[in-house]
Amino acid sequence: MNKTYFFLIVIVVLLGAGALFIPEERFTEELPPDQLFLKMNDPSRFVTTDQVARAIIDGDPNILIVDTRSADQYEAFNLPGSVNIPLEELIDSTGNIDERWEDYLGIEGMYIAFYSNGDVCADQAWVLCTRLGINDLFVMRGGLNRWVETILKPSPPEQTAPGEEFALYDFRKGASMYFGGGGAIEVEEQSAVPVTPVRKKKKQVISGGC
Amino acid sequence: MGPLIANGYIDPAWNNVIALLVGIAFGYILEASGFSSSRKLAGVFYGYDFVVLRVFMTAVMVAMVGLVYFNYMGWIDLSQIFILPTYMTSVIVGGVIMGLGFVMGGFCPGTSFTGVAVGKLDALFFSIGLYLGIFIFSLAFPWLEKIYYGGDLGPITLMESLGISRGLFTFLFVLATLGAFWVASMVKKRVKDIEI
């Protein structure tokens, strides 16, 4: 027998035998823990309330604001244009993103900002989704508590503060007017705004043959 | 990641361009393997030349092993691959007719075009017959519809119907293919060589 044939036969048998030990399930795309850790420590995963407010006012179509609190709390108050994905219902029993949210999360070119009352729920949602390989996720630092402090009830800066802070304060006053009617202490109840999700392109069934 | 078109990595508009390129490559490989000669092709039935068996079984074997590994690495999702539905009746009837045509004409549809491309007259006549056959089949389709769609098993695969795992089937197929090559070489030794 030709030497080349012999080698080819050995290679093909070895590869075939290797197929015996390959698990049927696909190689998972979960983010490895070390990389997750690096990402968690990256401060750029936070956005400020000002950035979120600006995005809402500008009507930025690339940002999806996700409320990770329960549905009751969402009904009581939410940011305009936000989507309610309660943290408890984010993951289904199989450990993947629940089917209901698949159309919202992981859309290419879409930035997602999670918020909750504080940082905790939003952070947890961020970790879960990042671990499942979804990119472009952010957490609104300070949550709604911070939102009320900075956007709805902004306090004026010190007289000696730098000009940027006054500019920021001006913006916040404007935003406060936009969101709450101007320094309103009682926050108006806002009804949930229906959001039309950008449907992810369904995987096409390939047709044809030889 | 893959299939590339279904997952949006390549625009579906490229379908025909890719088909053309793959077709050219396929034709080139057929011709390079000597498939444009009807004697070589018919040889598999008479036992003096098994190049058809060797080329096609090697292609299937390599593709099969490759897909299993690619699937594991996440480069292609086998659950998204189009699997031709199996119609048992038409597969058997069509297989017999195709086999008869193959041994009589010395070509299968693809190789007849390779033959035409290199200027074989018998291939030219074969492909004219091929189109005639397609024409007659299209006209007779209302009568043949029952046979055509008979024994519908859906997009079933061998490992599903045998109830064994993908890896085991791949390994058995590799062994069976190598066994077939060995048997073919035994048969070829006993049959007198003819001038091709």
Side-chain angles (χ1 to χ4, degrees), chain A residues 156-162 165-166:
Chain A
E158 299 268 324
Q159 285 294 318
T160 53
E165 284 202 18
F166 280 97

Side-chain angles (χ1 to χ4, degrees), chain B:
Chain B
M1 190 174 156
L4 293 176
I5 291 178
N7 285 340
Y9 287 96
I10 299 175
D11 195 89
W14 284 93
N15 264 341
N16 289 337
V17 178
I18 294 167
L20 182 72
L21 294 178
V22 172
I24 290 171
F26 182 57
Y28 175 77
I29 300 289
L30 284 182
E31 164 57 21
S33 319
F35 280 20
S36 56
S37 159
S38 53
R39 287 185 194 156
K40 219 173 173 70
L41 289 170
V44 74
F45 295 102
Y46 301 109
Y48 60 78
D49 196 314
F50 284 98
V51 72
V52 176
L53 181 92
R54 288 220 299 272
V55 168
F56 276 110
M57 293 290 262
T58 307
V60 172
M61 184 169 67
V62 171
M64 185 183 251
V65 173
L67 282 176
V68 168
Y69 281 86
F70 271 44
N71 182 54
Y72 176 65
M73 300 304 283
W75 294 337
I76 196 161
D77 185 359
L78 281 186
S79 60
Q80 273 180 272
I81 297 285
F82 173 74
I83 295 169
L84 217 57
T86 302
Y87 297 102
M88 219 49 200
T89 320
S90 53
V91 160
I92 292 169
V93 175
V96 169
I97 296 173
M98 158 106 184
L100 277 176
F102 201 157
V103 72
M104 281 183 346
F107 287 110
C108 74
T111 55
S112 75
F113 293 123
T114 335
V116 173
V118 296
K120 294 260 164 85
L121 260 187
D122 54 348
L124 184 65
F125 276 97
F126 188 94
S127 24
I128 292 171
L130 194 150
Y131 280 111
L132 219 63
I134 293 172
F135 182 65
I136 295 169
F137 175 80
S138 315
L139 290 183
F141 188 71
W143 288 288
L144 296 172
E145 206 169 348
K146 257 211 173 110
I147 302 172
Y148 190 75
Y149 291 119
D152 185 3
L153 297 179
I156 195 169
T157 57
L158 269 171
M159 50 179 204
E160 280 166 16
S161 47
L162 294 175
I164 57 177
S165 76
R166 185 181 284 146
L168 180 60
F169 182 77
T170 308
F171 185 57
L172 292 179
F173 187 84
V174 167
L175 292 186
T177 305
L178 294 177
F181 289 172
W182 182 73
V183 170
S185 70
M186 288 290 118
V187 173
K188 192 171 180 295
K189 260 185 205 161
R190 284 159 184 259
V191 178
K192 199 171 61 134
D193 266 1
I194 71 150
E195 193 69 33
I196 296 170

Side-chain angles (χ1 to χ4, degrees), chain A residues 49-50 145-155 172:
Chain A
T49 47
D50 299 306
N145 291 330
R146 189 70 181 272
W147 178 268
V148 174
E149 277 169 31
T150 54
I151 305 297
L152 296 180
K153 293 187 285 182
S155 49
R172 284 177 176 175

Side-chain angles (χ1 to χ4, degrees), chain A residues 111-184:
Chain A
Y111 299 97
I112 291 170
F114 291 112
Y115 75 86
S116 53
N117 284 330
D119 271 343
V120 178
C121 285
D123 252 353
Q124 286 174 357
W126 183 90
V127 170
L128 289 171
C129 291
T130 306
R131 175 86 165 126
L132 288 171
I134 298 173
N135 289 317
D136 298 331
L137 302 176
F138 297 91
V139 170
M140 188 171 88
R141 181 157 245 172
L144 285 179
N145 291 330
R146 189 70 181 272
W147 178 268
V148 174
E149 277 169 31
T150 54
I151 305 297
L152 296 180
K153 293 187 285 182
S155 49
E158 299 268 324
Q159 285 294 318
T160 53
E164 291 88 27
E165 284 202 18
F166 280 97
L168 184 64
Y169 178 61
D170 283 343
F171 166 74
R172 284 177 176 175
K173 271 196 297 187
S176 156
M177 221 116 75
Y178 180 90
F179 289 108

